[in-house]
Amino acid sequence: MNIGSLSLRRPAAEDEARIAKFARRAFDEAFSGYPENRPEDMASYMDEAFSVEAIRSELENASNVYVLAEVDAEIVGYAKLAVGATEECIEAEKPIELARLYCASESIGRGVGKALMQECLRFAVEGGHDVMWLGVWTKNFRAQEFYKQFGFTKCGEHVFVLGSDPQTDWVMSRSLKENAV
């Protein structure tokens, strides 16, 4: 894969099926290898979160902002921002959540995640948001380290339900007031 041909863009309505398919694939690649993630819980969550209908609904909601990363018109990563979403530990006047940031397994370490993160930070700063926050599973050490590289620090915890399994996520945040991007 030539990351030199990486492009970022906002999706169109006709992208919903491609996003749903990629989102399911990327989530499965990221989390199915953990023994505590039972296949039935993974399937239940992905069926709900990554159906074409769910993605369509998210794309139609003005509070959600998607960014697609593509190489040769093939999705290799995506991010989803949720404008105005917050958590108890977030102290902000205008927060924004990085709700998802996923790359295809073969794209990890090739700059796709970095490009998506930079685009999300740029969007947030230009939109006047003062804090970006996210939830990351306590056992997803690679993602935690990635977010730390962009200045995110743990400020709390919340529960993420995977199928029928309540799991603990760290809530991480960073100020967007100085050195935002």
Side-chain angles (χ1 to χ4, degrees), residues 29-74:
E29 288 174 352
F31 298 111
S32 66
Y34 292 90
E36 52 270 78
N37 290 340
R38 298 178 326 172
E40 57 270 26
D41 286 328
M42 290 285 294
S44 174
Y45 177 78
M46 291 188 297
D47 288 348
E48 182 179 325
F50 305 130
S51 69
V52 172
E53 295 77 19
I55 298 298
R56 178 182 306 125
S57 177
E58 289 180 352
L59 290 173
E60 290 173 349
N61 182 336
S63 295
N64 296 321
V65 177
Y66 269 80
V67 180
L68 299 182
E70 295 177 313
V71 173
D72 298 328
E74 179 183 340

Side-chain angles (χ1 to χ4, degrees), residues 12-172:
E14 58 269 15
D15 291 314
E16 62 193 20
R18 292 177 62 229
I19 295 168
K21 182 178 178 181
F22 179 82
R24 185 179 187 95
R25 172 190 162 201
F27 190 86
D28 187 62
E29 288 174 352
F31 298 111
S32 66
Y34 292 90
E36 52 270 78
N37 290 340
R38 298 178 326 172
E40 57 270 26
D41 286 328
M42 290 285 294
S44 174
Y45 177 78
M46 291 188 297
D47 288 348
E48 182 179 325
F50 305 130
S51 69
V52 172
E53 295 77 19
I55 298 298
R56 178 182 306 125
S57 177
E58 289 180 352
L59 290 173
E60 290 173 349
N61 182 336
S63 295
N64 296 321
V65 177
Y66 269 80
V67 180
L68 299 182
E70 295 177 313
V71 173
D72 298 328
E74 179 183 340
I75 299 174
V76 295
Y78 80 104
K80 174 190 165 192
L81 295 166
V83 175
T86 194
E87 278 284 330
E88 190 174 303
C89 63
I90 303 300
E91 295 181 23
E93 292 180 25
K94 194 173 178 186
I96 188 166
E97 177 189 11
L98 178 59
R100 297 183 189 142
L101 194 156
Y102 288 99
C103 298
S105 59
E106 67 272 12
S107 299
I108 294 174
R110 296 179 167 217
V112 175
K114 179 180 180 180
L116 284 166
M117 179 62 83
Q118 289 172 333
E119 177 63 14
C120 289
L121 290 169
R122 185 198 61 73
F123 176 88
V125 169
E126 287 180 2
H129 298 277
D130 55 344
V131 171
M132 182 179 283
W133 70 275
L134 57 92
V136 59
W137 190 28
T138 56
K139 297 182 182 188
N140 192 347
F141 305 118
R142 179 193 287 174
Q144 291 169 21
E145 289 306 311
F146 175 80
Y147 297 130
K148 286 176 186 176
Q149 291 173 19
F150 287 91
F152 286 85
T153 57
K154 180 183 176 191
C155 64
E157 295 181 349
H158 69 196
V159 173
F160 174 85
V161 181
L162 180 72
S164 65
D165 181 22
Q167 299 181 347
T168 302
D169 280 4
W170 282 3
V171 176
M172 298 180 80

